Amino acid sequence: MTKDKDILENFSFLYKILDYLIHNCKAYFCSFDKLYEHFYDRDLETDNKFNALNYYTAISESKSNNIEDVFLNFSVSDNTQAQGEKLVEACYYLMKQNYIRIDVHFNIKITFEGILKCSEGFLKEYEKYSNDKNRLLNVENFQRKTTRWMLWINGAIAVGTVVAMIYYILEILSVHFCKCG
């Protein structure tokens, strides 16, 4: 089973799909076979770990022309097919985000929104999110420290005020006794 928990690596994978469609494909268009071959250096049809015929069969047997129905109703159960499944799921995610379009023959075409997203980058967006999160955490920590110091300073001022009040009360009382005597 694959260990695929690194978010930066997954964002990089999505970026590489869009980048391949922009820089290596004529008219921003390619088949799933070519995309698979590019990523894994193996021919999709002869690869024993991932059987594309299952996808093609599912597409051809689908009563609707909606590619989303095919994605939702087809599953890959064997863990040795994880790479192919990852590429299919990544393409499905990009399609749901409207970065690519996939027709019923599994041909992939990037949208203008996908071109913009590739220019902007998934990694940059994630790093910005992480930096904003760290910045907010630092601001919260600074505010807590400042609040503690302000509490101590206000406590010292309060103690000083009480001491001054006692001093002035004693001063008033002592002046009064001194004039009598």
Side-chain angles (χ1 to χ4, degrees):
M1 184 160 218
T2 60
K3 294 179 182 173
D4 207 3
K5 296 180 181 177
D6 186 13
I7 188 81
L8 295 176
E9 185 179 312
N10 290 325
F11 280 137
S12 177
F13 188 71
L14 293 173
Y15 172 79
K16 287 176 185 175
I17 293 172
L18 295 178
D19 188 59
Y20 175 76
L21 290 168
I22 291 172
H23 298 300
N24 298 44
C25 297
K26 228 178 195 181
Y28 305 126
F29 179 83
C30 79
S31 67
F32 183 78
D33 295 352
K34 290 211 183 271
L35 190 65
Y36 184 87
E37 188 175 327
H38 170 73
F39 276 97
Y40 303 119
D41 293 325
R42 297 188 306 258
D43 183 31
L44 181 64
E45 294 299 322
T46 58
D47 195 347
N48 293 332
K49 293 183 180 176
F50 183 69
N51 188 358
L53 293 176
N54 291 336
Y55 281 102
Y56 291 129
T57 304
I59 290 169
S60 63
E61 290 175 358
S62 174
K63 298 206 173 31
S64 71
N65 284 336
N66 188 359
I67 192 73
E68 189 171 325
D69 292 340
V70 176
F71 273 107
L72 294 175
N73 294 328
F74 187 78
S75 65
V76 178
S77 61
D78 190 356
N79 284 336
T80 60
Q81 298 177 0
Q83 287 181 329
E85 184 177 315
K86 180 178 180 180
L87 186 59
V88 169
E89 291 296 327
C91 288
Y92 181 66
Y93 173 79
L94 291 171
M95 184 185 78
K96 292 292 285 181
Q97 299 300 317
N98 200 29
Y99 298 139
I100 62 173
R101 290 205 171 88
I102 302 173
D103 65 11
V104 293
H105 302 292
F106 247 56
N107 293 316
I108 302 166
K109 183 171 179 79
I110 191 167
T111 63
F112 189 71
E113 193 173 343
I115 294 170
L116 292 176
K117 185 63 175 184
C118 188
S119 301
E120 185 180 289
F122 288 98
L123 294 175
K124 289 178 188 175
E125 186 177 307
Y126 177 74
E127 288 170 357
K128 181 180 179 282
Y129 169 77
S130 296
N131 290 339
D132 289 347
K133 187 176 174 183
N134 289 337
R135 194 175 309 120
L136 286 173
L137 187 62
N138 290 339
V139 167
E140 285 178 14
N141 289 338
F142 177 75
Q143 286 178 337
R144 276 192 216 113
K145 289 177 184 176
T146 304
T147 303
R148 270 188 236 122
W149 278 105
M150 291 301 290
L151 181 67
W152 285 106
I153 290 171
N154 286 336
I157 291 172
V159 169
T161 303
V162 169
V163 169
M165 179 184 72
I166 293 171
Y167 171 77
Y168 286 118
I169 289 174
L170 291 177
E171 185 71 26
I172 291 172
L173 293 176
S174 70
V175 170
H176 181 32
F177 289 124
C178 290
K179 288 185 179 180
C180 294

